[in-house]
Amino acid sequence: MTTDAARDRKLIAALTAAQLYYMQDQTMEVIARELGTSRSSVSRLLSFAREVGLVDIRIHSPLERLGMLEQRLNERHGITAHIAPIPERVSEVERLERVALTAGRLLTQFVESNMVVGVAWGSTISAVSRSLLPKETHGTTFVQLNGAGNTQTSGLEYSSDILQRFGYAFGAQVEQFPVPAFFDSPDTREAMWRERSTRRVLAFQAKMDIAVFGLGSPGADVPSRVYVGGYLGRDDYRSLEEDAVIGDVATVFFRADGSWRDVRLNARSTGPGLDRLRRVPRRVCVVSGAAKLGSLRAAIGAGLITDVVLDDALARRLLDSD
């Protein structure tokens, strides 16, 4: 047999072995029986297939794909995206927890000494508060962005737990905001805003270096606490529907086009006006789940976000929807 003929036979055997091994997931023992050879010979054939280019093995890192997604979001929307890779089949609760874990690690990089950090309570930020890594800081203050009380509860225990976890993780001072989430009338809110104790908290909010918040959405798979925690009555829901509200940040509601000033319920809300929020140097939004796509798009369009922590599926949906 000529040298060329022998090489051709070896190429055919190597190609057959490669197809069985890489394309059909057959074991080396099965391939050896089919080719009438030994397992060690099959191993040598597979090595030969790689050497001569019959097989091209590439490793596709999900981190590289995520990096491309993050870059595209930055180019298209001018925001810094931090994407958590999450399997498609996990529950929405697990998806939120994994995004919150990413956010908790990220905040360790963002929060430094002598900062004022605003925190909005809610299901997402509660999960973030449980995922924080300890970091000692000095002169740092965490301030609550919106009241948590309603007709059923003062809300202090819930919001305090979240705020205290942030304070403990960073060895920081905390400033609670002991007011209801919504006043009964705009006049009550205006009167309360003139009180010295309230003005003290508002002064901290005015000095924020970082704001950390989730996005509320009436149709989220993991219900936003403001929509299910007894904060809104039937008339409130009707008002939000008539005002075409798509979501909220710290109980301040906005529409799909980012407008918010003439949403009627905002006149009674204790959250910071979105103009105030836009002046914060770093605004970190933590969001997960496809149901938050509309509110996320609106918040980005309104200029409320500088950094967003989200799951990879939501990131792709955001880009596809553009």
Side-chain angles (χ1 to χ4, degrees), residues 119 121-122 126 129 142 144 146-148 154-168 174-178:
V119 177
W121 56 263
S126 179
S129 72
F142 286 88
Q144 185 177 331
N146 51 322
S154 69
L156 288 177
E157 182 178 354
Y158 175 72
S159 59
S160 176
D161 283 348
I162 296 172
L163 210 61
Q164 292 295 342
R165 290 188 201 113
F166 277 92
Y168 180 78
V174 300
E175 290 290 339
Q176 298 183 34
F177 200 13

Side-chain angles (χ1 to χ4, degrees), residues 5 44 46 50 105 130 137-139 143-144 154 157 170 192 194-195 206 212 240 319 322:
R44 288 193 292 271
L46 292 175
R50 292 193 296 270
R105 303 307 189 257
R130 297 190 295 269
T137 62
H138 304 281
V143 60
Q144 185 177 331
S154 69
E157 182 178 354
F170 293 94
M192 191 67 182
R194 292 193 293 269
E195 291 292 324
V212 183
L240 292 176
L319 286 169
D322 293 337

Side-chain angles (χ1 to χ4, degrees), residues 95-107:
R95 185 178 301 275
L96 182 151
E97 291 290 340
R98 295 194 187 191
V99 169
L101 183 66
T102 299
R105 303 307 189 257
L106 188 68
L107 287 173

Side-chain angles (χ1 to χ4, degrees), residues 10 13-14 17 28 31-32 35-48:
K10 187 175 182 180
M28 288 192 182
I31 298 170
L35 295 180
T37 187
S38 66
R39 186 181 183 281
S40 59
S41 295
V42 172
S43 179
R44 288 193 292 271
L45 285 172
L46 292 175
S47 297
F48 176 70

Side-chain angles (χ1 to χ4, degrees), residues 13 22 48 86 96 104 165 191 249 254 260 304 306:
Y22 292 109
F48 176 70
I86 299 173
L96 182 151
R165 290 188 201 113
V249 171
F254 53 84
W260 63 278
L304 303 180
T306 61

Side-chain angles (χ1 to χ4, degrees), residues 67-81 300 306 318-319 322:
M68 292 177 63
L69 280 175
E70 291 171 349
Q71 181 179 347
R72 290 174 61 194
L73 285 172
N74 180 261
E75 293 171 350
R76 194 165 297 181
H77 296 290
I79 59 175
T80 301
I300 291 173
T306 61
L318 177 59
L319 286 169
D322 293 337

Side-chain angles (χ1 to χ4, degrees), residues 90-203:
V90 304
S91 69
E92 290 305 312
V93 172
E94 177 66 15
R95 185 178 301 275
L96 182 151
E97 291 290 340
R98 295 194 187 191
V99 169
L101 183 66
T102 299
R105 303 307 189 257
L106 188 68
L107 287 173
T108 305
Q109 303 173 32
F110 290 168
V111 177
E112 301 290 349
S113 293
N114 302 311
M115 280 187 169
V116 176
V117 183
V119 177
W121 56 263
S123 303
T124 299
I125 303 306
S126 179
V128 172
S129 72
R130 297 190 295 269
S131 303
L132 297 167
L133 291 176
K135 177 181 179 179
E136 191 63 31
T137 62
H138 304 281
T140 296
T141 300
F142 286 88
V143 60
Q144 185 177 331
L145 287 184
N146 51 322
N150 59 30
T151 57
Q152 301 173 19
T153 174
S154 69
L156 288 177
E157 182 178 354
Y158 175 72
S159 59
S160 176
D161 283 348
I162 296 172
L163 210 61
Q164 292 295 342
R165 290 188 201 113
F166 277 92
Y168 180 78
F170 293 94
Q173 172 186 344
V174 300
E175 290 290 339
Q176 298 183 34
F177 200 13
V179 294
F182 302 97
F183 287 107
D184 288 338
S185 76
D187 292 339
T188 308
R189 179 184 183 275
E190 291 303 316
M192 191 67 182
W193 257 224
R194 292 193 293 269
E195 291 292 324
R196 283 181 297 173
S197 59
T198 305
R199 282 160 45 197
R200 180 175 179 274
V201 178
L202 296 177

